[in-house]
Amino acid sequence: MEKFVINGGVPLHGEVTVSGAKNAALAIIPAAILCRDVCRIENLPVSISDVRYMISTLKYIGATIKYIDRSTIEIDSRNVNSYMISHDMTKHLRASYYFIGALLGRFGKARVAMPGGCYLGPRPIDQHIKGFEALGATISVEDNAIVEATSSKLFGAPVYLDIVSVGATVNIMLAAARAEGMTIIENAAKEPHIVDLANFLNSMGADIRGAGTDVIKIRGTENLHGCTYSIIPDQIEAGTFMVAAAATRGNVLINNVIPKHLESISTKLIECGADIEEYDEAVRVSMTERPGKCNIKTMPHPGFPTDMQPQMAVLLSMAEGTSLISESIWSNRFRYTEQLQRMGARITVDGQIAMIHGVEKLKGAPVKADDLRAGAAMIIAGLCAEGRTEIEDVMHIKRGYENVVEKFSNLGADIRMVYSVDPFDINKVG
Ligand code: UD1
């Protein structure tokens, strides 16, 4: 079993470089099969497990992958020959369902098992299905386990999303890029990775306008071709280092970021007393005093990202005063607060609202990573806490943070990965 062991209390200092955006990569990798050609993808976070699973899935359906360097691959999708993806592959991550849109665009059919991923509450796909059906596909969901999509031809159409959904926006864009005529997605998601996917598809010869606003217009074409594309920096990884720098009362220069994508996070950190300097492609975050309280409501972009609320909750756990976090995207995103309570945080959760009474200090404790961002929050808590913190279930963290131990170590953190045997593992008892 892998664990992270952290001896806390060391302010972070130095420089860190953020990797390519996980959520953009997870949309762009399947998008590459929309052409029968070679796409070169740069600034790809190759070593995170979510990306590795997506690459394995590409290989399984017939694509050839060439590793050029530590963050660049070439995807040759000329020989992609299968439209079926089983549960063994999709169970690892949510974004595996982007293969439905991509295979539908490529072959006019897809048979893909329902996706896995972090449990943050119910994760329906009704808006994805609504979009595919609007384009003329017939969708059946067998035993809530396999999605089958078929169409003799896809035609562009208007699609109004009843709820702002990143996943549905991506999936509809993928299928619509190869449909005949114009698709207009209204009430579309505006996250940076939606814009990145649109830019990638446009580099392949697609005609997509309006990404980043809530109306996206996609004029489909059969003539997509290979391209070279560099993925944007990861907004959430950058935000995680920003919060870690402030929470440990350190001073860190975070390189390879797009400051505009970080505004909602910067604003809240400044409200808590952090100093933030913005450069063209970097931000410096420093904090000397105990943080002040603030209230946060998670919202779709450009609001405060739900994927940053566990990390901010750690900072607010040590703030002077009482803060409120209101979670408006996921119904079950406060499980990590139980772990923080073990470290001395005073948090009460009532439905979608967490009330955090700041304490002077957190104390090291054995905790676990309930999901990817909860795991990032545990790292920050461990870095701030007095004494030793051991984090179990770090596989969740490795889904989305590249070289996380090295990156924090380089900032002066006392963090290491250890392998341990569970003495109570009943399979090992003779
Ligand atoms: C993506 C991100 C995830 C982030 C989330 C919100 C990826 C790979 N994951 O997840 O890290 O937390 O955006 O920013 O990019 N919904 C429906 N019906 C649908 C689809 C969604 O009701 O058909 C609901 C969901 O249950 C949720 C809300 O819409 O309450 C937002 O979900 P969505 O934006 O689709 O999140 P994901 O794309 O799964």
Side-chain angles (χ1 to χ4, degrees):
M1 185 172 51
E2 289 174 355
K3 280 188 204 175
F4 290 168
V5 176
I6 302 173
N7 290 302
V10 184
L12 299 181
H13 279 102
E15 291 188 31
V16 63
T17 298
V18 167
S19 298
K22 170 182 87 85
N23 288 346
L26 299 181
I28 285 171
I29 291 169
I33 67 166
L34 289 169
C35 68
R36 290 166 201 269
D37 205 348
V38 179
C39 293
R40 188 181 177 108
I41 320 277
E42 299 170 349
N43 202 32
L44 183 73
V46 171
S47 66
I48 60 174
S49 57
D50 272 13
V51 163
R52 295 210 314 270
Y53 283 124
M54 290 300 263
I55 291 175
S56 303
T57 307
L58 274 184
K59 286 187 193 160
Y60 176 82
I61 59 174
T64 309
I65 310 297
K66 195 163 155 195
Y67 289 85
I68 307 298
D69 61 36
R70 287 176 64 171
S71 60
T72 306
I73 64 168
E74 278 181 4
I75 301 170
D76 181 346
S77 58
R78 282 174 292 192
N79 295 324
V80 168
N81 55 14
S82 170
Y83 62 93
M84 291 193 265
I85 300 178
S86 71
H87 179 66
D88 288 337
M89 271 164 273
T90 64
K91 68 184 176 192
H92 300 286
L93 75 164
R94 196 78 202 151
S96 53
Y97 61 12
Y98 293 154
F99 278 103
I100 306 173
L103 289 166
L104 196 54
R106 166 98 180 215
F107 294 118
K109 53 189 173 181
R111 190 175 159 79
V112 177
M114 285 293 255
C118 290
Y119 183 70
L120 309 172
R123 298 184 82 166
I125 60 164
D126 55 302
Q127 299 303 307
H128 304 235
I129 292 174
K130 176 180 171 175
F132 297 143
E133 286 177 341
L135 300 183
T138 303
I139 310 292
S140 63
V141 182
E142 293 169 18
D143 300 328
N144 210 18
I146 293 178
V147 181
E148 180 142 306
T150 47
S151 89
S152 45
K153 186 158 183 54
L154 295 172
F155 290 98
V159 183
Y160 179 86
L161 295 180
D162 300 323
I163 191 160
V164 178
S165 161
V166 170
T169 305
V170 167
N171 243 336
I172 297 165
M173 285 168 74
L174 293 173
R178 289 281 300 259
E180 187 179 313
M182 174 83 89
T183 297
I184 303 177
I185 308 175
E186 293 200 58
N187 201 25
K190 299 186 282 239
E191 269 64 7
H193 37 287
I194 300 286
V195 179
D196 212 34
L197 173 64
N199 289 340
F200 173 70
L201 290 169
N202 285 341
S203 304
M204 292 170 84
D207 179 2
I208 302 181
R209 293 166 198 210
T213 75
D214 48 21
V215 181
I216 303 179
K217 294 183 178 169
I218 305 144
R219 188 175 294 285
T221 170
E222 299 248 307
N223 301 320
L224 296 178
H225 51 72
C227 65
T228 295
Y229 190 78
S230 182
I231 288 179
I232 51 166
D234 197 300
Q235 174 203 29
I236 305 299
E237 189 195 356
T240 301
F241 282 111
M242 292 170 77
V243 174
T248 60
R249 298 181 211 176
N251 184 331
V252 176
L253 182 67
I254 301 156
N255 294 312
N256 190 33
V257 303
I258 299 176
K260 179 91 189 136
H261 293 168
L262 303 172
E263 271 173 4
S264 59
I265 303 163
S266 300
T267 304
K268 285 292 155 188
L269 286 174
I270 291 167
E271 207 176 315
C272 293
D275 280 323
I276 301 204
E277 290 164 32
E278 280 185 12
Y279 304 96
D280 287 348
E281 294 180 358
V283 286
R284 178 178 290 284
V285 179
S286 61
M287 183 109 155
T288 45
E289 305 292 324
R290 184 176 174 193
K293 64 183 172 132
C294 79
N295 296 334
I296 290 174
K297 183 175 169 73
T298 64
M299 299 285 278
H301 191 78
F304 189 89
T306 173
D307 288 356
M308 280 304 302
Q309 68 94 334
Q311 300 90 315
M312 273 304 280
V314 175
L315 180 126
L316 297 176
S317 295
M318 295 171 293
E320 233 170 320
T322 299
S323 308
L324 291 177
I325 296 184
S326 165
E327 170 58 52
S328 65
I329 312 284
W330 300 114
S331 59
N332 194 11
R333 195 153 210 179
F334 284 126
R335 285 181 305 155
Y336 69 87
T337 57
E338 281 180 33
Q339 307 299 316
L340 278 185
Q341 283 161 355
R342 297 166 69 118
M343 301 179 74
R346 286 181 58 214
I347 307 181
T348 48
V349 176
D350 184 5
Q352 296 303 101
I353 296 185
M355 184 182 284
I356 307 177
H357 303 283
V359 295
E360 282 264 352
K361 285 205 165 127
L362 296 177
K363 295 185 298 284
V367 292
K368 66 184 168 86
D370 282 310
D371 57 59
L372 168 58
R373 306 305 172 186
M378 290 308 122
I379 294 181
I380 299 173
L383 295 173
C384 297
E386 261 180 353
R388 176 181 166 108
T389 295
E390 291 189 7
I391 307 174
E392 283 186 9
D393 295 345
V394 297
M395 69 282 184
H396 291 298
I397 302 173
K398 292 166 127 195
R399 287 187 42 203
Y401 289 90
E402 206 168 39
N403 308 324
V404 67
V405 170
E406 287 99 309
K407 287 187 182 184
F408 277 112
S409 298
N410 289 341
L411 294 173
D414 181 351
I415 175 171
R416 62 187 201 283
M417 190 165 79
V418 298
Y419 298 88
S420 67
V421 177
D422 179 358
F424 299 107
D425 183 349
I426 52 168
N427 298 316
K428 298 263 160 61
V429 176

